[in-house]
PDB file of all heavy atoms in Angstrom:
ATOM      1  N   PRO A  58     -20.580  12.637   6.199  1.00 91.00           N
ATOM      2  CA  PRO A  58     -20.458  11.977   7.507  1.00 91.00           C
ATOM      3  C   PRO A  58     -20.263  10.471   7.399  1.00 91.00           C
ATOM      4  O   PRO A  58     -19.446   9.889   8.121  1.00 91.00           O
ATOM      5  CB  PRO A  58     -21.788  12.323   8.196  1.00 91.00           C
ATOM      6  CG  PRO A  58     -22.254  13.571   7.531  1.00 91.00           C
ATOM      7  CD  PRO A  58     -21.818  13.430   6.107  1.00 91.00           C
ATOM      8  N   GLN A  59     -21.003   9.829   6.483  1.00 94.00           N
ATOM      9  CA  GLN A  59     -20.879   8.379   6.327  1.00 94.00           C
ATOM     10  C   GLN A  59     -19.516   7.993   5.774  1.00 94.00           C
ATOM     11  O   GLN A  59     -18.919   6.989   6.185  1.00 94.00           O
ATOM     12  CB  GLN A  59     -21.983   7.845   5.403  1.00 94.00           C
ATOM     13  CG  GLN A  59     -23.391   8.000   5.961  1.00 94.00           C
ATOM     14  CD  GLN A  59     -24.070   9.257   5.444  1.00 94.00           C
ATOM     15  OE1 GLN A  59     -23.473  10.341   5.457  1.00 94.00           O
ATOM     16  NE2 GLN A  59     -25.306   9.125   4.996  1.00 94.00           N
ATOM     17  N   VAL A  92      -2.977   8.788  13.645  1.00 95.00           N
ATOM     18  CA  VAL A  92      -2.601   8.770  15.058  1.00 95.00           C
ATOM     19  C   VAL A  92      -3.801   8.358  15.899  1.00 95.00           C
ATOM     20  O   VAL A  92      -4.953   8.666  15.567  1.00 95.00           O
ATOM     21  CB  VAL A  92      -2.066  10.155  15.495  1.00 95.00           C
ATOM     22  CG1 VAL A  92      -3.150  11.218  15.393  1.00 95.00           C
ATOM     23  CG2 VAL A  92      -1.477  10.102  16.895  1.00 95.00           C
ATOM     24  N   SER A  96      -9.050   6.801  21.569  1.00 90.00           N
ATOM     25  CA  SER A  96      -9.326   5.394  21.238  1.00 90.00           C
ATOM     26  C   SER A  96      -9.730   5.180  19.782  1.00 90.00           C
ATOM     27  O   SER A  96     -10.324   4.147  19.447  1.00 90.00           O
ATOM     28  CB  SER A  96     -10.416   4.822  22.166  1.00 90.00           C
ATOM     29  OG  SER A  96     -10.055   4.941  23.517  1.00 90.00           O
ATOM     30  N   GLY A 122     -10.311  19.935  13.643  1.00 96.00           N
ATOM     31  CA  GLY A 122      -9.848  21.286  13.910  1.00 96.00           C
ATOM     32  C   GLY A 122      -9.098  21.411  15.221  1.00 96.00           C
ATOM     33  O   GLY A 122      -9.005  22.495  15.791  1.00 96.00           O
ATOM     34  N   ALA A 140      -6.696   9.260   2.145  1.00 95.00           N
ATOM     35  CA  ALA A 140      -6.486  10.675   1.831  1.00 95.00           C
ATOM     36  C   ALA A 140      -7.381  11.144   0.690  1.00 95.00           C
ATOM     37  O   ALA A 140      -7.307  12.308   0.284  1.00 95.00           O
ATOM     38  CB  ALA A 140      -5.024  10.928   1.481  1.00 95.00           C
ATOM     39  N   ALA A 146     -12.730  19.312   8.657  1.00 95.00           N
ATOM     40  CA  ALA A 146     -12.902  20.414   9.610  1.00 95.00           C
ATOM     41  C   ALA A 146     -12.780  21.754   8.894  1.00 95.00           C
ATOM     42  O   ALA A 146     -11.828  21.991   8.153  1.00 95.00           O
ATOM     43  CB  ALA A 146     -11.864  20.320  10.722  1.00 95.00           C
ATOM     44  N   VAL A 159     -13.439  40.782  29.686  1.00 95.00           N
ATOM     45  CA  VAL A 159     -13.535  40.488  31.123  1.00 95.00           C
ATOM     46  C   VAL A 159     -13.917  39.029  31.377  1.00 95.00           C
ATOM     47  O   VAL A 159     -13.854  38.557  32.510  1.00 95.00           O
ATOM     48  CB  VAL A 159     -14.559  41.417  31.827  1.00 95.00           C
ATOM     49  CG1 VAL A 159     -14.161  42.869  31.639  1.00 95.00           C
ATOM     50  CG2 VAL A 159     -15.967  41.168  31.319  1.00 95.00           C
ATOM     51  N   LYS A 166     -16.813  27.919  28.639  1.00 96.00           N
ATOM     52  CA  LYS A 166     -18.257  28.005  28.858  1.00 96.00           C
ATOM     53  C   LYS A 166     -19.034  27.866  27.543  1.00 96.00           C
ATOM     54  O   LYS A 166     -20.078  27.220  27.493  1.00 96.00           O
ATOM     55  CB  LYS A 166     -18.604  29.326  29.540  1.00 96.00           C
ATOM     56  CG  LYS A 166     -18.222  29.356  31.012  1.00 96.00           C
ATOM     57  CD  LYS A 166     -18.729  30.615  31.703  1.00 96.00           C
ATOM     58  CE  LYS A 166     -18.467  30.545  33.200  1.00 96.00           C
ATOM     59  NZ  LYS A 166     -18.978  31.752  33.907  1.00 96.00           N
ATOM     60  N   ASN A 169     -18.890  24.176  26.471  1.00 94.00           N
ATOM     61  CA  ASN A 169     -19.831  23.372  27.259  1.00 94.00           C
ATOM     62  C   ASN A 169     -21.272  23.605  26.799  1.00 94.00           C
ATOM     63  O   ASN A 169     -22.070  22.667  26.697  1.00 94.00           O
ATOM     64  CB  ASN A 169     -19.695  23.706  28.743  1.00 94.00           C
ATOM     65  CG  ASN A 169     -18.361  23.280  29.317  1.00 94.00           C
ATOM     66  OD1 ASN A 169     -17.661  22.446  28.738  1.00 94.00           O
ATOM     67  ND2 ASN A 169     -17.987  23.845  30.445  1.00 94.00           N
ATOM     68  N   ASN A 174     -26.127  20.563  23.140  1.00 72.00           N
ATOM     69  CA  ASN A 174     -27.122  20.386  22.080  1.00 72.00           C
ATOM     70  C   ASN A 174     -26.748  19.252  21.130  1.00 72.00           C
ATOM     71  O   ASN A 174     -27.290  19.137  20.046  1.00 72.00           O
ATOM     72  CB  ASN A 174     -27.280  21.687  21.280  1.00 72.00           C
ATOM     73  CG  ASN A 174     -28.576  21.736  20.510  1.00 72.00           C
ATOM     74  OD1 ASN A 174     -29.618  21.375  21.035  1.00 72.00           O
ATOM     75  ND2 ASN A 174     -28.517  22.167  19.267  1.00 72.00           N
ATOM     76  N   LYS A 186     -14.661  37.221   1.654  1.00 68.00           N
ATOM     77  CA  LYS A 186     -13.793  37.359   0.496  1.00 68.00           C
ATOM     78  C   LYS A 186     -12.507  36.545   0.617  1.00 68.00           C
ATOM     79  O   LYS A 186     -11.968  36.104  -0.386  1.00 68.00           O
ATOM     80  CB  LYS A 186     -13.448  38.835   0.280  1.00 68.00           C
ATOM     81  CG  LYS A 186     -14.667  39.715  -0.026  1.00 68.00           C
ATOM     82  CD  LYS A 186     -14.256  41.168  -0.198  1.00 68.00           C
ATOM     83  CE  LYS A 186     -15.473  42.042  -0.504  1.00 68.00           C
ATOM     84  NZ  LYS A 186     -15.092  43.473  -0.639  1.00 68.00           N
ATOM     85  N   VAL A 194     -20.344  33.110  10.345  1.00 93.00           N
ATOM     86  CA  VAL A 194     -21.514  32.234  10.440  1.00 93.00           C
ATOM     87  C   VAL A 194     -22.494  32.745  11.494  1.00 93.00           C
ATOM     88  O   VAL A 194     -22.094  33.203  12.561  1.00 93.00           O
ATOM     89  CB  VAL A 194     -21.073  30.796  10.809  1.00 93.00           C
ATOM     90  CG1 VAL A 194     -22.245  29.942  11.249  1.00 93.00           C
ATOM     91  CG2 VAL A 194     -20.360  30.145   9.642  1.00 93.00           C
ATOM     92  N   VAL A 204     -30.915  31.577  18.075  1.00 94.00           N
ATOM     93  CA  VAL A 204     -29.700  32.053  17.413  1.00 94.00           C
ATOM     94  C   VAL A 204     -28.578  32.085  18.454  1.00 94.00           C
ATOM     95  O   VAL A 204     -28.640  32.847  19.421  1.00 94.00           O
ATOM     96  CB  VAL A 204     -29.908  33.445  16.799  1.00 94.00           C
ATOM     97  CG1 VAL A 204     -28.615  33.944  16.153  1.00 94.00           C
ATOM     98  CG2 VAL A 204     -31.034  33.401  15.763  1.00 94.00           C
ATOM     99  N   CYS A 215     -19.801  37.104  24.932  1.00 97.00           N
ATOM    100  CA  CYS A 215     -19.259  37.858  23.797  1.00 97.00           C
ATOM    101  C   CYS A 215     -19.939  39.214  23.732  1.00 97.00           C
ATOM    102  O   CYS A 215     -20.941  39.453  24.433  1.00 97.00           O
ATOM    103  CB  CYS A 215     -19.494  37.109  22.473  1.00 97.00           C
ATOM    104  SG  CYS A 215     -18.555  35.594  22.276  1.00 97.00           S
ATOM    105  N   ASP A 224     -24.054  46.257  10.038  1.00 71.00           N
ATOM    106  CA  ASP A 224     -25.055  45.451   9.351  1.00 71.00           C
ATOM    107  C   ASP A 224     -26.467  45.911   9.711  1.00 71.00           C
ATOM    108  O   ASP A 224     -27.358  45.949   8.868  1.00 71.00           O
ATOM    109  CB  ASP A 224     -24.879  43.974   9.708  1.00 71.00           C
ATOM    110  CG  ASP A 224     -25.626  43.060   8.758  1.00 71.00           C
ATOM    111  OD1 ASP A 224     -25.425  43.202   7.540  1.00 71.00           O
ATOM    112  OD2 ASP A 224     -26.421  42.220   9.231  1.00 71.00           O
TER     113      ASP A 224
END
Side-chain angles (χ1 to χ4, degrees):
Q59 295 96 313
V92 64
S96 303
V159 301
K166 286 187 174 181
N169 293 341
N174 200 43
K186 297 179 180 179
V194 166
V204 178
C215 291
D224 195 53

